[in-house]
Amino acid sequence: MPLFPAFLKLTSRRVLVVGGGSIAAQKIPGLLEAGVQVHVVSPKLAPQLTEWVRNQQITWSPKSFESNDLDGAFLVIAATALRDLNASVYREADQRNILCNAVDDIDHCHFYYGSIVQRGDLQIAISTNGKSPALAQRLRKELEQQFGPEYASWLDWLGAARETLRAQSHDPEATKRSLHVLASRSMFEKFLHNSTATQKPGAPHAAFACGDSGLTENRAPTPDGTELVAAAFRGGRLSPSDSSTGHWSLATDHSSSKVFLLGAGPGDPELLTLKALRILQSADVVLHDSLIGPEILNLIPPTTERIDVGKRAGFRLLTQQDINSLLLSNAAKHKIVVRLKGGDPLLFGRAAEEIQALREANIAFEIVPGISAAFGAAAAAKISLTDRRLSSHVLFTTFSRAPEAKFLPGIGLTADTTVVVYMPGPDYAEVSLWLQDAAVSPDTPVLVISKASRPDQSHHATTVSGLAQLAPPPAPALLLIGRVAATATDSTTARNLNWLNESLPNFSNSQIS
């Protein structure tokens, strides 16, 4: 049966507990913490319950349960060792529409006690729908390790910030965004760092304010918490960007570093995504490929450190391990580290090796996709990579490969395949041979596109066999192979596509390895 999770406000509500032994003693403390008026019905009491009665924390009727004991009860807990009695309490409560929990008897429960992790007003409840209390307890212990006592004072600070912002801001959406940033992991780590740095044994957690130079002041929490928020405002963590409209902006937090694997697109700076541009202009250091054009590099602020880590065909500048090491060392020194790659970082950009290195070093990273060179090249040549009359699928491959790869695999073609070859290298005769070895007909159209989307872009039409006589154009270059490559000329119109279909080979004997 599905459950509805809810946190109830039970202050001053009357809750009946049937049973006065050890089972009841386990269930009552949570009720008392919620401000409940606990009334116990039981012929006798365990010592702990007797102490609570003596201290007027609970009330007690020294008798056996009767149905009229439910009068005025909001909830009832059947907490005896007698299953028949617990079931009877449940039935009586059910008839009166009073929710009942019969301890350790899921068939006679309207609700369950969850395993609770509590840190002040932060409560995390775990339920297994009665199937495995042991699992719920194990998860509770793990969460207790993850969410320490410091979350109580952190939540108090967040609550004060929320009330202050809501009172002073006239833009609910801006307030919402600000509060989400305040509740971020990096803000919590800053709070925790300052609290532990200034904490005296037994003293409450201190507030913090963070300015451009770090922590600027520490103040003890005030009863309503507003001084904490005011301190954050004074320190520059929250500042009004427009006092007339009540907008709030957040200063950059310097508590942790992050590496961005960022796609620069094919070369035209206008094809750079807005997110990529924003990150690029806020970077502390940029590690970029050699073939990133000046149009993109000029967008990097002059105060940002630039490191050329690119590899060009025939030139061994830095190994991939060297680049990985540079990423890790710069992440230790800077907050925003950008690894700028041409096209899209996830397509033949060796991103997998850098992702592995960052994960193993436990460094936060984010991938910002870019327009891949294949799409930039096709757009520059004004052709479509797919055409339902000519090509129904696209194969992306590369002539560049890892040093340990001694042989190139066959790429496997059909008649309606468009093949895109990234990084064809300086020897097109070798590429031509490779394609023919993979059963590509020598007459298959090829379009060689150089510096796609840049002012000096160029493209050359040839065939697979003609590649052997073609001088490679300036890098970066890319090959488009297949029927669609023949449509790059303006003279190729819908009228002669039938001729194109008939005249091009169908690769019926293509070898796929």
Side-chain angles (χ1 to χ4, degrees):
M1 181 180 295
L3 300 179
F4 176 76
F7 290 90
L8 303 179
K9 296 180 179 179
L10 297 178
T11 301
S12 299
R13 297 281 188 177
R14 185 175 188 267
V15 174
L16 176 67
V17 176
V18 179
S22 59
I23 298 175
Q26 295 173 12
K27 301 302 179 182
I28 290 175
L31 297 171
L32 295 177
E33 290 177 5
V36 167
Q37 294 180 359
V38 177
H39 182 72
V40 176
V41 172
S42 178
K44 56 184 180 180
L45 295 180
Q48 180 61 70
L49 277 73
T50 302
E51 184 68 19
W52 287 332
V53 171
R54 184 180 299 116
N55 293 334
Q56 299 183 347
Q57 294 174 275
I58 64 175
T59 57
W60 173 41
S61 294
K63 66 182 190 67
S64 298
F65 169 75
E66 298 175 351
S67 60
N68 59 8
D69 291 324
L70 291 167
D71 293 345
F74 187 78
L75 297 174
V76 59
I77 310 298
T80 77
L82 305 173
R83 294 182 66 86
D84 289 344
L85 175 56
N86 290 347
S88 175
V89 173
Y90 171 84
R91 288 191 293 270
E92 293 288 346
D94 191 57
Q95 291 178 6
R96 294 171 177 242
N97 291 321
I98 299 173
L99 299 181
C100 174
N101 174 278
V103 178
D104 292 335
D105 186 356
I106 62 175
D107 292 331
H108 295 103
C109 284
H110 294 112
F111 66 95
Y112 304 126
Y113 271 71
S115 288
I116 302 296
V117 176
Q118 183 155 2
R119 301 291 185 248
D121 286 330
L122 174 65
Q123 293 188 45
I124 305 172
I126 306 160
S127 172
T128 61
N129 205 353
K131 293 181 178 179
S132 179
L135 173 61
Q137 292 170 16
R138 195 208 86 197
L139 294 175
R140 184 202 69 214
K141 292 178 181 178
E142 293 178 2
L143 289 171
E144 284 177 338
Q145 296 294 321
Q146 182 177 351
F147 298 96
E150 63 275 5
Y151 271 85
S153 53
W154 171 236
L155 182 57
D156 289 340
W157 193 93
L158 289 175
R162 180 174 183 265
E163 293 305 314
T164 299
L165 283 173
R166 292 180 66 182
Q168 298 183 13
S169 173
H170 303 297
D171 186 340
E173 287 301 315
T175 299
K176 182 178 179 180
R177 290 192 298 270
S178 297
L179 291 174
H180 275 280
V181 176
L182 283 175
S184 66
R185 163 64 65 174
S186 60
M187 284 292 288
F188 170 71
E189 291 174 351
K190 178 69 71 176
F191 177 88
L192 181 62
H193 171 77
N194 190 53
S195 297
T196 55
T198 59
Q199 186 86 354
K200 294 181 180 180
H205 282 279
F208 72 90
C210 186
D212 293 337
S213 59
L215 301 174
T216 58
E217 60 178 303
N218 302 286
R219 295 174 180 265
T222 52
D224 63 358
T226 55
E227 183 58 33
L228 304 185
V229 183
F233 293 163
R234 286 192 297 272
R237 169 56 51 194
L238 287 167
S239 58
S241 59
D242 185 343
S243 58
S244 63
T245 60
H247 290 272
W248 298 89
S249 62
L250 287 134
T252 302
D253 179 62
H254 294 275
S255 62
S256 61
S257 63
K258 192 171 187 179
V259 174
F260 292 86
L261 305 182
L262 193 149
D268 184 348
E270 293 187 1
L271 296 180
L272 196 68
T273 66
L274 292 174
K275 183 173 185 177
L277 178 61
R278 175 177 57 80
I279 294 171
L280 197 61
Q281 294 183 335
S282 63
D284 299 310
V285 59
V286 176
L287 289 73
H288 64 86
D289 289 343
S290 294
L291 294 177
I292 300 292
E295 299 88 353
I296 299 290
L297 295 178
N298 288 340
L299 298 174
I300 302 173
T303 56
T304 299
E305 181 182 0
R306 301 186 197 179
I307 304 176
D308 186 342
V309 297
K311 295 180 285 295
R312 298 194 186 195
F315 297 90
R316 183 180 180 85
L317 301 177
L318 293 173
T319 66
Q320 186 59 51
Q321 185 58 47
D322 293 333
I323 297 174
N324 295 347
S325 298
L326 281 172
L327 280 176
L328 303 187
S329 62
N330 278 279
K333 297 184 293 184
H334 300 292
K335 176 178 173 55
I336 300 179
V337 178
V338 170
R339 175 68 175 96
L340 186 62
K341 300 169 177 283
D344 183 272
L346 302 182
L347 199 56
F348 304 122
R350 303 195 182 185
E353 296 166 66
E354 294 171 4
I355 289 171
Q356 180 181 354
L358 292 168
R359 281 179 173 158
E360 290 176 351
N362 198 29
I363 294 174
F365 68 94
E366 182 176 344
I367 300 169
V368 181
I371 296 177
S372 178
F375 304 126
K382 299 180 181 179
I383 65 172
S384 175
L385 293 177
T386 60
D387 186 323
R388 65 179 182 172
R389 299 161 297 181
L390 300 174
S391 175
S392 61
H393 55 279
V394 182
L395 173 65
F396 298 101
T397 187
T398 177
F399 193 69
S400 176
R401 67 275 190 194
E404 61 269 22
K406 297 180 179 179
F407 302 100
L408 290 174
I411 57 178
L413 284 179
T414 63
D416 58 351
T417 301
T418 298
V419 180
V420 181
V421 179
Y422 286 72
M423 296 172 283
D427 189 348
Y428 280 15
E430 187 178 4
V431 178
S432 174
L433 180 61
W434 170 59
L435 290 168
Q436 294 180 67
D437 285 346
V440 181
S441 169
D443 297 326
T444 304
V446 176
L447 195 63
V448 182
I449 303 172
S450 169
K451 296 188 175 182
S453 80
R454 300 184 188 181
D456 55 345
Q457 72 181 22
S458 64
H459 60 272
H460 307 272
T462 183
T463 62
V464 167
S465 61
L467 278 175
Q469 288 76 45
L470 184 67
L478 181 143
L479 309 183
L480 300 181
I481 304 165
R483 293 174 173 178
V484 297
T487 67
T489 60
D490 293 337
S491 59
T492 304
T493 65
R495 289 194 304 272
N496 56 25
L497 284 177
N498 288 333
W499 166 84
L500 188 61
N501 270 312
E502 295 169 359
S503 61
L504 292 181
N506 62 18
F507 313 128
S508 58
N509 296 319
S510 295
Q511 299 172 358
I512 302 177
S513 60

